[in-house]
Every structure is written in C-alpha cells, then in structure tokens.
Amino acid sequence: MDRSDLELVLAVREHGSLTAAALSLNVAPPVVTKRLAALEAQLGQRLFQRTTRRVSATAEGETMCERARTLLQGFTALEAELQERQSEPTGLIRLAATFGFGRLWLGPALADFQERYPRIEIQLQLTEQLPDLAEGGFDGAIWLWEVEGRQAAQWVSRRLARNQRVLVASPRYIRQHGAPASLEDLQRHTCLIVRENGNTAGQRFDVWPLHREREKTAARVRVHGPLSSNSGELVRDWCVQGRGIMLRSLWDIAPQLTSGELVRVLPGYAMPDADIHWLAPFRPDSPRRIRLLVDFLLTQFQGAPWKNTTVTDARRRSSATAPPEASRAAPRSSRPAR
C-alpha cells in the first residue's frame, strides 16, 4: 500500500462515485476500478459497496479512510517541515508587548533576531492593554502576566523568564526617613503607587500583596503616598529622586539597582506574579518563523538577564531610555530676571 492508495480511497468516499473519483485524481475511470479492486484483494476486505447509483464505504472502508486521512496529513506536515528547513525563514511576525519591557528588553532582542534572519519582518505594537490576539491579527504577545478565563483556554502560554516585583528606595530616602523594618512599618512610610495595567474591575493599586520567600500566602499591605501615576517610568524617576518607596519589577529597575541609585528594602518580601510569558492564539501547526522566535526569546531571557546586569550595562540602558540632556535642561531666557 502506498500514498496513492490512500488518496484513492479518500477520493472514492468523498465523491461517492468511481467516475467522479477518477476525474478528481485526473485518471481514467477503469484505472480507479482496477486499483480499488486490487487494493481490496490485497487487504482481503471489501472497502466499498457498489451499486449502479452509489458507491458507499463499508465499516472497514470507513476505518481505512479515517486512518488514510491522518496518514496523509502527516505526509503533508513532514514535507512542509523539510521544505522549511531547506529554505531561509521568511514572512511577517506581528507582536504585542507592554511599553516598558517592550522597549527595554524585547526591542533589542527582536532587532538581534531580525539581523539573524534578514528575510523575516517584525511588527511590534506596544500597548498597556492586552489585545485580542486572533482578532487583531497578532502572531503572539510577550506579556508580564498569565491570562485567565476564556483567553486562557484559547491561547497558548509559555513562560519565557521568571520575574518578581520588589520594594526599592533611593539611598537619599533611606538617609532621611530610614528603611522599614517590617510590613507594619512599611505602612507608615511614603509609598509611590503605579496605576497601570488595570484589567481587573475594582483593582486596588494601593494594596500590595507581598510574599515572604518560600511562603505561598501573601500579606496584603495597604500603602499610602501623595504621588501616583499610570506611568511606571515616572514613578521610578520619583523613587530615584528620593520621593518614596516603590514596588517594581526587577527587569525595570535592574540598571538602577546595579548602579546604586536604588536599593532594596525589606528584601525578604516580593510580589512574584509578573513572570514574562509568550502568549499566542492556538495553532495546530505553528510556522517555522514563530517557532524560531520563541526558541530565540527563551535563550535570550533564560536565567532572567536583568539579574546579571553589569554597571556598564546599567549605564547603557539608562542612557538609552532617558531623554537627551538638552531636553532635560531648563531653557534659558534672554530676558533679565525680575
């Protein structure tokens, strides 16, 4: 039995006629009749009942057709994979990611990936709200939280790297106000609140669920402070200036921790809910370019590279994301001061 035999039985069942099956296979009707008879003789089973009006599959024929369909799909998938391996990967990849991680870590990684595979085109959309990937035509998203509910059942999720949010402050703040010695003490300090990525109704941004290492139960701490923003970068700037204590992802503050602009407070506590994930609509056969990208990102973010940032890396990343010096300087007026 060979591949053409499988295609034959499927054509006969689909068209219900030996003549129509012959037409679809681009062969003469007597050829189909002869080949089917030879196949049935070889198997010792009658696969189709023939009448003057209709050809219908027997129980053995139905079983044969179902197995034939699976085998032919396997042949097709194998051929496509081998062809992909022989050719250079090409095509468009459309991605979504959050602004901060997308600019600081994902953007440079995607540029390196595209340089490695120059025939692949990448479109990255930065957003603070996770879009409907299938409806928006996205191949995937690099996101900081796992999805829940209906999306979790329809999407593929794979963790690219572990991450956690930690408490930090500037040395200036600690000199002026001291460091909190406990979670109860934290409530008496000035805290900086980030109000971003609020997808859950009634979400409290001023309640921080903090875990002690190796403990599963979180302590929910209500914090206070006069400064808050939907921009995590702005809140980070306030923290560096000594305005208060912040809860922020390690990937975002790695340069400041390395350079000493920020230091951890209550280092035994963290909010381990912000791992980096690959999210994608379910596909039975993912294109090679997508598989290559996911493998590349797994390699790039393996071991959470932000934990190993050097001082040189910290300065480079800080300067890459900071506005030009000229734009930070106050404009000088030619008028005399009054």
Side-chain angles (χ1 to χ4, degrees):
M1 187 186 305
D2 58 23
R3 184 173 181 174
S4 62
D5 293 325
L6 304 180
E7 294 170 342
L8 172 67
V9 294
L10 286 177
V12 173
R13 187 181 72 165
E14 179 182 352
H15 296 283
S17 164
L18 298 183
T19 301
L23 183 62
S24 69
L25 295 172
N26 197 28
V27 297
V31 174
V32 171
T33 303
K34 183 177 180 180
R35 285 176 53 192
L36 180 58
L39 181 60
E40 289 178 327
Q42 176 186 345
L43 297 174
Q45 300 281 349
R46 192 167 186 83
L47 301 177
F48 293 93
Q49 297 288 355
R50 290 94 152 161
T51 67
T52 55
R53 293 185 176 182
R54 182 73 179 170
V55 176
S56 57
T58 63
E60 293 77 13
E62 288 290 346
T63 301
M64 174 74 172
C65 289
E66 290 303 317
R67 296 291 181 90
R69 187 180 305 278
T70 301
L71 290 170
L72 288 174
Q73 289 173 345
F75 279 128
T76 302
L78 177 59
E79 288 174 346
E81 181 178 347
L82 293 176
Q83 288 173 357
E84 276 191 325
R85 290 186 179 183
Q86 291 178 347
S87 61
E88 185 178 359
T90 185
L92 172 65
I93 301 176
R94 297 192 69 239
L95 302 172
T98 55
F99 278 96
F101 188 83
R103 186 184 61 257
L104 193 62
W105 293 98
L106 179 61
L110 291 180
D112 291 342
F113 176 79
Q114 198 283 325
E115 185 177 21
R116 179 177 297 186
Y117 302 104
R119 295 187 62 186
I120 291 180
E121 179 183 353
I122 297 175
Q123 292 180 3
L124 174 62
Q125 180 172 318
L126 300 182
T127 174
E128 293 302 341
Q129 298 295 330
L130 180 62
D132 186 316
L133 299 179
E135 184 176 333
F138 291 97
D139 294 296
I142 292 81
W143 213 252
L144 307 186
W145 301 273
E146 288 187 287
V147 296
E148 299 177 352
R150 180 179 62 87
Q151 291 177 328
Q154 296 176 343
W155 293 355
V156 175
S157 176
R158 187 171 184 180
R159 184 169 59 200
L160 298 177
R162 292 189 178 275
N163 177 57
Q164 59 183 359
R165 283 183 271 186
V166 298
L167 297 164
V168 293
S170 71
R172 175 184 175 184
Y173 177 88
I174 294 176
R175 285 195 302 269
Q176 293 178 344
H177 306 281
S182 64
L183 293 183
E184 293 75 15
D185 193 19
L186 176 64
Q187 295 179 294
R188 294 187 285 270
H189 278 261
T190 300
C191 292
L192 303 168
I193 300 169
V194 181
R195 301 178 179 274
E196 64 182 2
N197 301 313
N199 294 324
T200 305
Q203 180 177 355
R204 294 293 302 267
F205 296 98
D206 58 348
V207 176
W208 292 350
L210 297 168
H211 291 249
R212 187 188 291 273
E213 189 175 1
R214 298 188 183 89
E215 289 185 1
K216 295 183 178 180
T217 304
R220 298 177 63 83
V221 182
R222 177 78 178 273
V223 297
H224 306 273
L227 294 174
S228 67
S229 175
N230 68 330
S231 169
E233 296 175 3
L234 176 58
V235 173
R236 184 188 62 204
D237 291 343
W238 285 337
C239 191
V240 171
Q241 295 166 9
R243 305 291 184 178
I245 296 173
M246 172 179 64
L247 180 66
R248 196 64 179 161
S249 284
L250 277 173
W251 62 259
D252 185 50
I253 55 174
Q256 289 76 23
L257 287 174
T258 302
S259 65
E261 292 178 284
L262 295 176
V263 295
R264 289 188 61 173
V265 298
L266 293 175
Y269 289 91
M271 190 173 174
D273 69 336
D275 290 345
I276 314 302
H277 290 86
W278 164 261
L279 306 176
F282 173 76
R283 282 174 154 177
D285 297 304
S286 183
R288 183 188 175 204
R289 61 184 181 276
I290 303 299
R291 301 196 305 270
L292 287 171
L293 174 63
V294 175
D295 290 342
F296 180 84
L297 294 178
L298 281 167
T299 301
Q300 289 290 300
F301 299 142
Q302 186 178 20
W306 37 90
K307 293 182 179 180
N308 304 315
T309 304
T310 65
V311 174
T312 301
D313 292 335
R315 290 171 179 168
R316 177 175 56 82
R317 290 189 177 275
S318 296
S319 62
T321 58
E325 192 67 32
S327 65
R328 293 199 299 261
R332 296 183 179 179
S333 173
S334 58
R335 297 180 181 180
R338 294 183 179 180

